mmCIF file of all heavy atoms in Angstrom:
data_model
loop_
_atom_site.group_PDB
_atom_site.id
_atom_site.type_symbol
_atom_site.label_atom_id
_atom_site.label_comp_id
_atom_site.label_asym_id
_atom_site.label_seq_id
_atom_site.Cartn_x
_atom_site.Cartn_y
_atom_site.Cartn_z
ATOM 1 N N PHE A 437 109.880 122.187 69.535
ATOM 2 C CA PHE A 437 109.150 120.965 69.765
ATOM 3 C C PHE A 437 109.792 119.764 68.981
ATOM 4 O O PHE A 437 110.675 120.127 68.179
ATOM 5 C CB PHE A 437 107.694 121.107 69.371
ATOM 6 C CG PHE A 437 106.997 122.259 70.168
ATOM 7 C CD1 PHE A 437 105.883 122.909 69.564
ATOM 8 C CD2 PHE A 437 107.350 122.601 71.439
ATOM 9 C CE1 PHE A 437 105.174 123.942 70.229
ATOM 10 C CE2 PHE A 437 106.796 123.646 72.065
ATOM 11 C CZ PHE A 437 105.646 124.269 71.464
ATOM 12 N N SER A 438 109.428 118.646 69.333
ATOM 13 C CA SER A 438 110.019 117.442 68.747
ATOM 14 C C SER A 438 109.006 116.563 68.059
ATOM 15 O O SER A 438 107.812 116.463 68.450
ATOM 16 C CB SER A 438 110.767 116.670 69.728
ATOM 17 O OG SER A 438 111.217 115.381 69.198
ATOM 18 N N TYR A 439 109.409 115.870 66.919
ATOM 19 C CA TYR A 439 108.599 114.855 66.297
ATOM 20 C C TYR A 439 108.952 113.459 66.761
ATOM 21 O O TYR A 439 108.441 112.407 66.203
ATOM 22 C CB TYR A 439 108.743 114.971 64.804
ATOM 23 C CG TYR A 439 108.223 116.207 64.204
ATOM 24 C CD1 TYR A 439 108.372 116.463 62.802
ATOM 25 C CD2 TYR A 439 107.583 117.222 64.906
ATOM 26 C CE1 TYR A 439 107.931 117.692 62.188
ATOM 27 C CE2 TYR A 439 107.074 118.416 64.404
ATOM 28 C CZ TYR A 439 107.265 118.596 63.030
ATOM 29 O OH TYR A 439 106.760 119.833 62.408
ATOM 30 N N LEU A 440 109.966 113.329 67.657
ATOM 31 C CA LEU A 440 110.416 112.092 68.128
ATOM 32 C C LEU A 440 110.028 111.682 69.516
ATOM 33 O O LEU A 440 109.988 110.443 69.789
ATOM 34 C CB LEU A 440 111.980 111.999 68.021
ATOM 35 C CG LEU A 440 112.651 112.060 66.679
ATOM 36 C CD1 LEU A 440 114.138 112.077 66.862
ATOM 37 C CD2 LEU A 440 112.173 110.852 65.808
ATOM 38 N N VAL A 441 109.716 112.686 70.341
ATOM 39 C CA VAL A 441 109.429 112.368 71.736
ATOM 40 C C VAL A 441 108.243 113.222 72.229
ATOM 41 O O VAL A 441 107.830 114.201 71.605
ATOM 42 C CB VAL A 441 110.650 112.707 72.633
ATOM 43 C CG1 VAL A 441 111.851 111.816 72.410
ATOM 44 C CG2 VAL A 441 111.061 114.170 72.502
ATOM 45 N N PRO A 442 107.516 112.753 73.322
ATOM 46 C CA PRO A 442 106.365 113.491 73.857
ATOM 47 C C PRO A 442 106.850 114.753 74.470
ATOM 48 O O PRO A 442 108.004 115.129 74.675
ATOM 49 C CB PRO A 442 105.840 112.538 74.921
ATOM 50 C CG PRO A 442 106.515 111.145 74.681
ATOM 51 C CD PRO A 442 107.830 111.447 74.137
ATOM 52 N N TYR A 443 105.771 115.568 74.843
ATOM 53 C CA TYR A 443 105.986 116.922 75.346
ATOM 54 C C TYR A 443 106.887 117.026 76.559
ATOM 55 O O TYR A 443 107.565 118.064 76.813
ATOM 56 C CB TYR A 443 104.617 117.670 75.615
ATOM 57 C CG TYR A 443 104.064 117.230 76.929
ATOM 58 C CD1 TYR A 443 104.256 117.971 78.099
ATOM 59 C CD2 TYR A 443 103.180 116.090 76.988
ATOM 60 C CE1 TYR A 443 103.709 117.625 79.312
ATOM 61 C CE2 TYR A 443 102.618 115.726 78.284
ATOM 62 C CZ TYR A 443 102.808 116.521 79.482
ATOM 63 O OH TYR A 443 102.377 116.248 80.565
ATOM 64 N N TYR A 444 106.855 116.008 77.403
ATOM 65 C CA TYR A 444 107.574 116.017 78.755
ATOM 66 C C TYR A 444 109.112 115.888 78.482
ATOM 67 O O TYR A 444 109.844 115.992 79.400
ATOM 68 C CB TYR A 444 107.108 115.109 79.730
ATOM 69 C CG TYR A 444 106.918 113.611 79.155
ATOM 70 C CD1 TYR A 444 108.013 112.745 79.087
ATOM 71 C CD2 TYR A 444 105.696 113.122 78.835
ATOM 72 C CE1 TYR A 444 107.895 111.474 78.598
ATOM 73 C CE2 TYR A 444 105.492 111.838 78.350
ATOM 74 C CZ TYR A 444 106.649 111.004 78.226
ATOM 75 O OH TYR A 444 106.387 109.711 77.746
ATOM 76 N N ARG A 445 109.526 115.650 77.155
ATOM 77 C CA ARG A 445 110.896 115.723 76.856
ATOM 78 C C ARG A 445 111.315 116.861 75.943
ATOM 79 O O ARG A 445 112.323 116.968 75.383
ATOM 80 C CB ARG A 445 111.390 114.324 76.252
ATOM 81 C CG ARG A 445 111.321 113.256 77.318
ATOM 82 C CD ARG A 445 111.672 111.838 76.723
ATOM 83 N NE ARG A 445 113.032 111.801 76.224
ATOM 84 C CZ ARG A 445 113.577 110.648 75.800
ATOM 85 N NH1 ARG A 445 112.926 109.521 75.879
ATOM 86 N NH2 ARG A 445 114.846 110.606 75.402
ATOM 87 N N PHE A 446 110.279 117.834 75.754
ATOM 88 C CA PHE A 446 110.564 119.072 75.134
ATOM 89 C C PHE A 446 111.473 119.873 75.972
ATOM 90 O O PHE A 446 111.572 119.736 77.185
ATOM 91 C CB PHE A 446 109.292 119.829 74.758
ATOM 92 C CG PHE A 446 108.403 119.175 73.705
ATOM 93 C CD1 PHE A 446 107.169 119.690 73.268
ATOM 94 C CD2 PHE A 446 108.803 118.007 73.062
ATOM 95 C CE1 PHE A 446 106.377 119.129 72.376
ATOM 96 C CE2 PHE A 446 108.020 117.394 72.101
ATOM 97 C CZ PHE A 446 106.821 117.995 71.777
ATOM 98 N N PRO A 447 112.070 120.949 75.397
ATOM 99 C CA PRO A 447 112.736 121.908 76.292
ATOM 100 C C PRO A 447 111.868 122.494 77.391
ATOM 101 O O PRO A 447 110.730 122.709 77.121
ATOM 102 C CB PRO A 447 113.116 122.975 75.231
ATOM 103 C CG PRO A 447 113.284 122.339 74.001
ATOM 104 C CD PRO A 447 112.154 121.282 73.955
ATOM 105 N N SER A 448 112.432 122.772 78.553
ATOM 106 C CA SER A 448 111.613 123.342 79.537
ATOM 107 C C SER A 448 112.454 124.258 80.396
ATOM 108 O O SER A 448 113.671 124.360 80.367
ATOM 109 C CB SER A 448 111.070 122.170 80.493
ATOM 110 O OG SER A 448 112.131 121.514 81.143
ATOM 111 N N GLU A 449 111.701 125.055 81.199
ATOM 112 C CA GLU A 449 112.261 125.982 82.199
ATOM 113 C C GLU A 449 111.622 125.840 83.511
ATOM 114 O O GLU A 449 110.347 125.850 83.591
ATOM 115 C CB GLU A 449 112.139 127.440 81.664
ATOM 116 C CG GLU A 449 112.658 128.578 82.497
ATOM 117 C CD GLU A 449 112.581 129.923 81.882
ATOM 118 O OE1 GLU A 449 113.429 130.265 81.043
ATOM 119 O OE2 GLU A 449 111.627 130.535 82.171
ATOM 120 N N THR A 450 112.407 125.817 84.535
ATOM 121 C CA THR A 450 111.951 125.681 85.912
ATOM 122 C C THR A 450 112.155 127.053 86.585
ATOM 123 O O THR A 450 113.397 127.397 86.700
ATOM 124 C CB THR A 450 112.514 124.484 86.606
ATOM 125 O OG1 THR A 450 112.193 123.259 85.943
ATOM 126 C CG2 THR A 450 111.944 124.424 88.090
ATOM 127 N N SER A 451 111.245 127.677 87.153
ATOM 128 C CA SER A 451 111.446 128.875 87.888
ATOM 129 C C SER A 451 110.639 128.857 89.190
ATOM 130 O O SER A 451 109.646 128.194 89.399
ATOM 131 C CB SER A 451 110.890 130.163 87.034
ATOM 132 O OG SER A 451 111.528 130.162 85.786
ATOM 133 N N ILE A 452 111.080 129.787 90.198
ATOM 134 C CA ILE A 452 110.489 129.864 91.406
ATOM 135 C C ILE A 452 109.897 131.231 91.533
ATOM 136 O O ILE A 452 110.446 132.302 91.171
ATOM 137 C CB ILE A 452 111.531 129.656 92.521
ATOM 138 C CG1 ILE A 452 112.180 128.463 92.474
ATOM 139 C CG2 ILE A 452 110.789 129.787 93.925
ATOM 140 C CD1 ILE A 452 111.398 127.158 92.476
#
Side-chain angles (χ1 to χ4, degrees):
F437 302 151
S438 171
Y439 296 176
L440 290 179
V441 294
Y443 81 91
Y444 50 82
R445 290 178 65 174
F446 290 179
S448 67
E449 181 178 273
T450 301
S451 300
I452 307 298

